[in-house]
Amino acid sequence: MNKSVFHKLSYGVYVVSTWDEGRATGCVANSIMQITSDPATIAVSMNHNNYTHSCIEQTKKFAVSILSEQSDPSIIGTFGFQSGKEVNKFEQVEYELKEYMPVLKDCCGYIVCEVIDKLETNTHTVFLGRVVEGDLVNNEKEMTYNYYHKVVKGKSPKNAPTYIEEEATKEEIKEAKYVCGICGYVYDGEIPFEELPDDYVCPICKQPKRVFKKQ
Amino acid sequence: MNKSVFHKLSYGVYVVSTWDEGRATGCVANSIMQITSDPATIAVSMNHNNYTHSCIEQTKKFAVSILSEQSDPSIIGTFGFQSGKEVNKFEQVEYELKEYMPVLKDCCGYIVCEVIDKLETNTHTVFLGRVVEGDLVNNEKEMTYNYYHKVVKGKSPKNAPTYIEEEATKEEIKEAKYVCGICGYVYDGEIPFEELPDDYVCPICKQPKRVFKKQ
């Protein structure tokens, strides 16, 4: 089996959120899909080790904030590279309540669900959620996992179109790269990495300059 | 609830296939996601009314052919707009066997699974499949559902980039359009639709010229 075939499956980039005894919490997820249209239900796969997993087991409710290509990439750092057990992630972003659930303001749409069933595997739970509310927030294009890897992470966001960026990457790959040791972000600024100020932090996961590794 | 938010969820375009008493059959699916990595399992959502659904219930095995942006769009017509109960879909395409399952030659990768569990809803079954084999077929970019709607269906395939096409569509929308009454394909050829030969067929679903409607 060639596991790289799994990279050919297409996903979006979402923040799944719920409550942790009165405190909002959540994490980044990719494995979300609609299952039925009437009544509308969606399935979300979540790792057992994720703190959000145990919180959803408690509340039996969750929200999905759908990130757009214009969403601040630091959201992925905040919600994807920290644990809600240790950090109050929602302190670092603006959010509002939709059907009593915390939803990011910086998203292109949201869906709120009540858990009605689940499927267990050895590492993940697939939660089946009946949709109780959902709406568009703006007209921005939804972020795909592919876009996140190629544009946001591979190069700085909101610049040239994807295909041009890919070609540039191939040419530049022979030069030294500085890669964040936590989230894999490749530094791509105008200023040489060595000359960056000491308080520079990774734009994705907010970790300090010293965690970057030269490759 | 604003149901258009569901269009913001991202999907790929796949052909899910299995056996129907010794005859290969299958259908187009979008709702597929990886659930666990070790052992690798994926989830596939399938409508109860789909003939492929009852065949998977029998065989407890299925293959996923991952369509690429270069895959022949008529595959979507063959597998998405006909029933395997009435038509031998695999007679119309080239395929080969992988772990005894039928896989399209015109795809960028494939995954073969054994059903190990399922989750039932009123209209769909979510099959959980343990991956027994999978590989890349070529380096073509995987097709997303968004790409299918905007490039393949909205305009003729393999032409200008998506964004330019979208703007052109807005300008042309005031002119008369000819839309396939079966699959929704919008005719976009050089020759005026009225002047096409009588044996013209929809490039997506292969239906005859007469099923097109003027809008």
Side-chain angles (χ1 to χ4, degrees), chain A residues 1-6 8 10-11 14 31 33-37 117 119 121 123-124 134-135 140 146, chain B residues 2-3 5-6 8 10-11 14 31 33-37 117 119 121 123-124 133-136 140 142:
Chain A
M1 188 195 310
N2 177 358
K3 288 201 170 185
S4 54
V5 70
F6 297 127
K8 292 285 184 186
S10 300
Y11 302 98
Y14 313 101
S31 296
M33 61 188 189
Q34 190 174 3
I35 305 295
T36 69
S37 59
D117 204 349
L119 184 64
T121 73
T123 57
H124 290 67
D135 204 354
E140 291 171 7
N146 206 11
Chain B
N2 176 359
K3 287 200 171 188
V5 70
F6 297 127
K8 292 284 183 187
S10 299
Y11 303 97
Y14 313 101
S31 297
M33 62 188 189
Q34 190 173 3
I35 304 295
T36 70
S37 59
D117 204 350
L119 184 65
T121 73
T123 55
H124 289 67
E133 175 61 321
D135 204 355
L136 296 170
E140 292 171 7
E142 63 276 12

Side-chain angles (χ1 to χ4, degrees), chain B residues 131-147:
Chain B
V131 179
V132 292
E133 175 61 321
D135 204 355
L136 296 170
V137 172
N138 57 44
N139 288 320
E140 292 171 7
K141 194 168 184 295
E142 63 276 12
M143 187 189 286
T144 63
Y145 192 59
N146 207 11
Y147 181 92

Side-chain angles (χ1 to χ4, degrees), chain B residues 58-126:
Chain B
Q58 290 284 324
T59 60
K60 307 220 185 310
K61 267 189 101 169
F62 63 88
V64 176
S65 301
I66 304 166
L67 298 194
S68 83
E69 291 185 356
Q70 276 70 50
S71 290
D72 185 341
S74 77
I75 290 172
I76 299 169
T78 302
F79 285 87
F81 296 96
Q82 301 179 99
S83 172
K85 198 170 179 179
E86 286 137 27
V87 180
N88 188 343
K89 298 178 182 181
F90 275 91
E91 242 174 18
Q92 301 167 51
V93 294
E94 285 192 276
Y95 69 100
E96 51 195 339
L97 299 189
K98 300 287 183 185
E99 287 287 317
Y100 313 107
M101 299 304 284
V103 169
L104 298 183
K105 283 194 176 179
D106 187 2
C107 71
C108 64
Y110 68 88
I111 298 167
V112 180
C113 293
E114 281 174 3
V115 176
I116 55 169
D117 204 350
K118 60 183 184 174
L119 184 65
E120 286 296 343
T121 73
N122 61 332
T123 55
H124 289 67
T125 301
V126 181

Side-chain angles (χ1 to χ4, degrees), chain B residues 167-198:
Chain B
E167 282 171 24
T169 309
K170 276 179 200 162
E171 278 172 29
E172 286 163 20
I173 211 135
K174 289 162 202 156
E175 294 176 27
K177 288 191 301 182
Y178 285 85
V179 180
C180 175
I182 305 300
C183 74
Y185 169 78
V186 181
Y187 176 71
D188 183 42
E190 294 282 312
I191 303 166
F193 187 81
E194 295 87 345
E195 295 169 24
L196 287 172
D198 289 342

